[in-house]
Short mmCIF file of all heavy atoms in Angstrom, two decimals:
data_model
loop_
_atom_site.label_atom_id
_atom_site.label_comp_id
_atom_site.label_asym_id
_atom_site.label_seq_id
_atom_site.Cartn_x
_atom_site.Cartn_y
_atom_site.Cartn_z
N ARG B 219 43.03 -27.13 -18.05
CA ARG B 219 44.44 -26.84 -18.25
C ARG B 219 44.80 -26.92 -19.71
O ARG B 219 44.45 -27.85 -20.41
CB ARG B 219 45.28 -27.83 -17.45
CG ARG B 219 45.69 -27.22 -16.13
CD ARG B 219 46.64 -28.07 -15.40
NE ARG B 219 47.52 -28.84 -16.26
CZ ARG B 219 48.03 -30.01 -15.85
NH1 ARG B 219 47.73 -30.49 -14.68
NH2 ARG B 219 48.85 -30.66 -16.63
N SER B 220 45.54 -25.96 -20.12
CA SER B 220 45.92 -26.01 -21.53
C SER B 220 47.25 -26.72 -21.63
O SER B 220 47.89 -27.02 -20.63
CB SER B 220 46.02 -24.60 -22.10
OG SER B 220 47.29 -24.08 -21.82
N HIS B 221 47.64 -27.00 -22.81
CA HIS B 221 48.89 -27.73 -23.02
C HIS B 221 49.92 -26.82 -23.64
O HIS B 221 50.80 -27.26 -24.33
CB HIS B 221 48.62 -28.95 -23.90
CG HIS B 221 47.36 -29.63 -23.52
ND1 HIS B 221 47.24 -30.34 -22.35
CD2 HIS B 221 46.14 -29.68 -24.11
CE1 HIS B 221 46.01 -30.81 -22.25
NE2 HIS B 221 45.34 -30.42 -23.30
N SER B 238 59.36 -35.84 -28.23
CA SER B 238 58.14 -36.64 -28.43
C SER B 238 56.91 -36.00 -27.79
O SER B 238 55.78 -36.22 -28.22
CB SER B 238 58.34 -38.05 -27.84
OG SER B 238 58.63 -37.91 -26.46
N ILE B 239 57.14 -35.20 -26.73
CA ILE B 239 55.97 -34.64 -26.04
C ILE B 239 55.45 -33.38 -26.72
O ILE B 239 54.42 -32.84 -26.33
CB ILE B 239 56.30 -34.32 -24.56
CG1 ILE B 239 57.58 -33.48 -24.48
CG2 ILE B 239 56.39 -35.58 -23.73
CD1 ILE B 239 57.84 -32.94 -23.10
N VAL B 240 56.16 -32.87 -27.68
CA VAL B 240 55.76 -31.61 -28.32
C VAL B 240 54.97 -31.89 -29.59
O VAL B 240 55.36 -32.73 -30.40
CB VAL B 240 57.01 -30.76 -28.63
CG1 VAL B 240 56.63 -29.54 -29.46
CG2 VAL B 240 57.69 -30.37 -27.35
N LEU B 254 52.01 -28.86 -26.08
CA LEU B 254 52.42 -30.20 -25.68
C LEU B 254 51.36 -31.22 -26.04
O LEU B 254 50.19 -30.88 -26.21
CB LEU B 254 52.65 -30.24 -24.16
CG LEU B 254 53.73 -29.30 -23.61
CD1 LEU B 254 53.79 -29.41 -22.10
CD2 LEU B 254 55.08 -29.61 -24.23
N ALA B 255 51.80 -32.45 -26.08
CA ALA B 255 50.84 -33.54 -26.30
C ALA B 255 49.96 -33.66 -25.08
O ALA B 255 50.32 -33.23 -23.99
CB ALA B 255 51.59 -34.85 -26.55
N LYS B 256 48.77 -34.23 -25.28
CA LYS B 256 47.85 -34.40 -24.16
C LYS B 256 48.51 -35.20 -23.04
O LYS B 256 49.28 -36.12 -23.29
CB LYS B 256 46.61 -35.16 -24.66
CG LYS B 256 45.34 -34.33 -24.46
CD LYS B 256 44.10 -35.10 -24.88
CE LYS B 256 42.90 -34.24 -24.61
NZ LYS B 256 41.68 -34.83 -25.11
N ASP B 257 48.22 -34.83 -21.81
CA ASP B 257 48.73 -35.52 -20.62
C ASP B 257 50.24 -35.39 -20.42
O ASP B 257 50.79 -35.99 -19.51
CB ASP B 257 48.36 -37.02 -20.64
CG ASP B 257 46.88 -37.20 -20.78
OD1 ASP B 257 46.15 -36.33 -20.24
OD2 ASP B 257 46.45 -38.16 -21.44
N ALA B 258 50.89 -34.61 -21.26
CA ALA B 258 52.34 -34.44 -21.06
C ALA B 258 52.57 -33.45 -19.93
O ALA B 258 51.86 -32.46 -19.81
CB ALA B 258 52.98 -33.94 -22.35
N ASP B 259 53.57 -33.73 -19.10
CA ASP B 259 53.87 -32.84 -17.98
C ASP B 259 54.83 -31.76 -18.44
O ASP B 259 55.91 -32.06 -18.96
CB ASP B 259 54.50 -33.67 -16.85
CG ASP B 259 54.68 -32.84 -15.58
OD1 ASP B 259 54.44 -31.60 -15.65
OD2 ASP B 259 55.04 -33.43 -14.56
N PRO B 260 54.47 -30.49 -18.25
CA PRO B 260 55.37 -29.41 -18.66
C PRO B 260 56.75 -29.54 -18.02
O PRO B 260 57.74 -29.10 -18.58
CB PRO B 260 54.66 -28.15 -18.17
CG PRO B 260 53.22 -28.53 -18.08
CD PRO B 260 53.20 -29.98 -17.74
N GLN B 261 56.82 -30.18 -16.82
CA GLN B 261 58.11 -30.34 -16.15
C GLN B 261 59.11 -31.13 -17.00
O GLN B 261 60.30 -30.84 -16.99
CB GLN B 261 57.92 -31.05 -14.80
CG GLN B 261 57.08 -30.27 -13.80
CD GLN B 261 57.65 -28.90 -13.51
OE1 GLN B 261 58.88 -28.74 -13.38
NE2 GLN B 261 56.79 -27.89 -13.44
N LEU B 262 58.61 -32.11 -17.72
CA LEU B 262 59.47 -32.90 -18.60
C LEU B 262 60.12 -32.03 -19.66
O LEU B 262 61.30 -32.15 -19.96
CB LEU B 262 58.65 -34.00 -19.28
CG LEU B 262 58.25 -35.18 -18.40
CD1 LEU B 262 57.33 -36.13 -19.17
CD2 LEU B 262 59.51 -35.92 -17.94
N LEU B 263 59.31 -31.10 -20.17
CA LEU B 263 59.82 -30.20 -21.20
C LEU B 263 60.92 -29.32 -20.62
O LEU B 263 61.99 -29.14 -21.21
CB LEU B 263 58.69 -29.35 -21.75
CG LEU B 263 59.11 -28.28 -22.75
CD1 LEU B 263 59.56 -28.93 -24.06
CD2 LEU B 263 58.02 -27.27 -23.00
#
Side-chain angles (χ1 to χ4, degrees):
Chain B
R219 263 187 32 208
S220 85
H221 319 289
S238 59
I239 51 171
V240 172
L254 300 177
K256 240 183 178 174
D257 305 326
D259 187 353
Q261 296 303 319
L262 286 175
L263 175 70

